[in-house]
Amino acid sequence: MDFNLQNYLADGVEVILKDAMHATLKNPKESLFLIRFSKHARKATKIRKRYEKDGQNIPVFLIASITSSCNLHCTGCYSRANNACSDDEPQNQLSDDDWHNIFKQAKDLGISFIVLAGGEPLLRQDVLIKASEMSEILFPVFTNGTLLDEKNLELFDENRNLVPIISIEGDQDVTDLRRGAGVYNHIVNVMELMKENNIIFGTSLTFTKRNISSLVSNEYIDKLHDFGCKVVFFIEYVPLNEDTTDLAPTDSERELLFNEINRLRREYDDMLFLSFPGDEKTSGGCLAAGRGFFHINSNGGAEPCPASPYSDINVKESSLLDALNSNLFKSLRDGGLLMDDHEGGCVLFEHRKDVERILKQ
């Protein structure tokens, strides 16, 4: 049976809602927000269907890299490899008002989920505050967790449409090896604080050919569950260059992940499990370039996805709808490239020369 990502996301909201309702007496504002958001999500679905009748596909979510700055230097960071993140002073970054306008456009199009990424998104408090004002949209905030101090936890506590998603590589040794000494213990302490305060949060796990078995094990998922984690994103490793392609998962690992996620969804019914692009294999191809999502970089460039940093249109001078219908996006969707089979990593990485050729044309 084909897997429908949009339906699963909607069902996942219901799972979280049911679990939050159990703790209503403890924290009624959590349940109240999720009830309201479910109503907004149903309205957004109707908006997308109206566009669909006119031949326009609107994806269920958008990825927004709101800053090019980060306080860590993680090994293998694709953002730094693509020069989308650096230690230099940010240049020509979108303002908080620019992002607020983008969020409003997304709401009007029926986009229900906007992933806030970076760099490190917690460095843009101004944008987070603008996002908090958009209760119709759920904002997963992908963070390294090191800046989740008392002030930021208060922001997430007061604005339940902001959901922290903490990047973690596995156990302490693996996480600290990639992210720096002491990072693991810090984010574990933060997760315990969020559990104590009934703040819904998730984790982002980058899986490779080597670590996938340990990440989907009951032993590891039990640990995340005990920390209070409600959402788990399995992010497929994208090679930075030809030397790291041996780490990229192949169809064998994708099949393993697909089967294991189905098992986890049955065994942990109070958690939400998503994989990218693992689920895309059963969604008729890559979901980038507006099929299921698209990416806006910190300068406003509309890109197929964060791992494919190519753009022929900027949303500071055009609308989100224009971006979805840009020459690059339409060529990728209509040309069959997103449906192409590939060995490992993402299809747009493997066919980056073809993407560059489309841009030149």
Side-chain angles (χ1 to χ4, degrees):
M1 183 175 67
D2 289 342
F3 177 83
N4 188 301
L5 183 59
Q6 283 195 9
N7 288 345
Y8 182 68
L9 281 169
D11 292 342
V13 172
E14 296 302 320
V15 170
I16 295 173
L17 173 61
K18 289 177 183 177
D19 183 65
M21 289 293 286
H22 184 69
T24 295
L25 293 177
K26 226 179 209 183
N27 198 337
K29 62 183 176 183
E30 185 73 67
S31 298
L32 182 60
F33 163 70
L34 289 171
I35 290 171
R36 288 174 175 169
F37 176 72
S38 294
K39 179 181 177 181
H40 295 313
R42 289 192 294 271
K43 181 179 178 181
T45 298
K46 292 179 181 178
I47 294 174
R48 293 195 302 273
K49 286 182 177 179
R50 286 202 297 269
Y51 275 100
E52 189 176 358
K53 287 181 179 179
D54 294 331
Q56 173 70 59
N57 177 67
I58 303 296
V60 70
F61 67 96
L62 163 69
I63 302 174
S65 290
I66 59 177
T67 180
S68 61
S69 299
C70 186
N71 61 319
L72 294 184
H73 289 77
C74 301
T75 304
C77 175
Y78 71 83
S79 289
R80 287 190 182 275
N82 291 334
N83 297 315
C85 176
S86 74
D87 295 327
D88 297 333
E89 188 70 24
Q91 300 293 322
N92 301 317
Q93 287 201 130
L94 297 182
S95 69
D96 56 342
D97 287 334
D98 291 331
W99 282 114
H100 196 215
N101 180 43
I102 291 169
F103 300 156
K104 287 192 291 186
Q105 289 184 58
K107 181 197 74 171
D108 292 341
L109 289 173
I111 295 174
S112 297
F113 302 86
I114 300 181
V115 172
L116 298 186
E120 171 49 53
L122 294 190
L123 291 171
R124 289 297 304 271
Q125 288 287 312
D126 55 340
V127 180
L128 291 178
I129 291 172
K130 293 292 186 182
S132 71
E133 298 170 0
M134 305 291 296
S135 61
E136 303 90 345
I137 295 176
L138 190 62
F139 293 87
V141 183
F142 277 63
T143 172
N144 60 45
T146 59
L147 300 180
L148 280 168
D149 54 16
E150 185 176 338
K151 180 181 177 181
N152 280 316
L153 288 178
E154 184 178 344
L155 177 67
F156 285 112
D157 188 23
E158 293 178 350
N159 301 280
R160 294 306 172 110
N161 65 326
L162 305 180
V163 181
I165 307 293
I166 303 175
S167 298
I168 187 170
E169 310 305 319
D171 60 20
Q172 180 175 355
D173 291 340
V174 177
T175 298
D176 285 0
L177 180 64
R178 185 183 183 200
R179 298 187 172 272
V183 170
Y184 181 84
N185 283 334
H186 179 86
I187 60 180
V188 165
N189 291 335
V190 167
M191 286 192 286
E192 290 175 345
L193 280 173
M194 288 191 287
K195 182 178 180 180
E196 290 174 9
N197 289 281
N198 297 304
I199 299 174
I200 284 183
F201 70 91
T203 51
S204 169
L205 312 175
T206 300
F207 71 93
T208 68
K209 187 185 295 185
R210 298 175 186 173
N211 71 355
I212 181 61
S213 296
S214 62
L215 292 182
V216 296
S217 68
N218 282 69
E219 179 183 5
Y220 189 68
I221 299 301
D222 281 342
K223 186 179 294 186
L224 294 179
H225 187 272
D226 290 343
F227 285 144
C229 176
K230 294 297 180 188
V231 188
V232 179
F233 285 85
F234 291 96
I235 308 297
E236 186 169 326
Y237 174 75
V238 177
L240 301 176
N241 50 53
E242 299 296 338
D243 297 333
T244 58
T245 54
D246 62 316
L247 289 174
T250 63
D251 283 345
S252 176
E253 285 77 36
R254 293 191 194 99
E255 184 177 359
L256 169 66
L257 180 65
F258 178 75
N259 293 330
E260 286 298 287
I261 281 185
N262 283 335
R263 176 184 65 80
L264 293 173
R265 287 168 179 161
R266 292 192 302 269
E267 296 181 9
Y268 300 83
D269 59 1
D270 60 344
M271 296 178 73
L272 174 62
F273 296 94
L274 295 169
S275 68
F276 297 96
D279 282 335
E280 296 172 8
K281 297 294 288 184
T282 53
S283 295
C286 176
L287 295 175
R291 285 194 67 237
F293 69 90
F294 64 112
H295 177 235
I296 304 297
N297 66 32
S298 62
N299 298 317
E303 301 173 345
C305 87
S308 184
Y310 301 98
S311 177
D312 63 348
I313 194 168
N314 192 295
V315 296
K316 196 164 185 179
E317 288 88 31
S318 60
S319 68
L320 285 186
L321 194 57
D322 289 336
L324 285 169
N325 292 307
S326 70
N327 289 330
L328 175 60
F329 280 21
K330 289 177 69 175
S331 297
L332 290 175
R333 292 196 302 263
D334 299 341
L337 188 60
L338 296 176
M339 314 299 176
D340 197 23
D341 197 15
H342 57 291
E343 288 296 320
C346 76
V347 64
L348 291 180
F349 173 80
E350 291 197 4
H351 291 279
R352 56 196 179 279
K353 291 183 180 179
D354 295 319
V355 180
E356 292 170 356
R357 190 177 302 116
I358 291 172
L359 273 179
K360 290 178 181 179
Q361 293 173 349

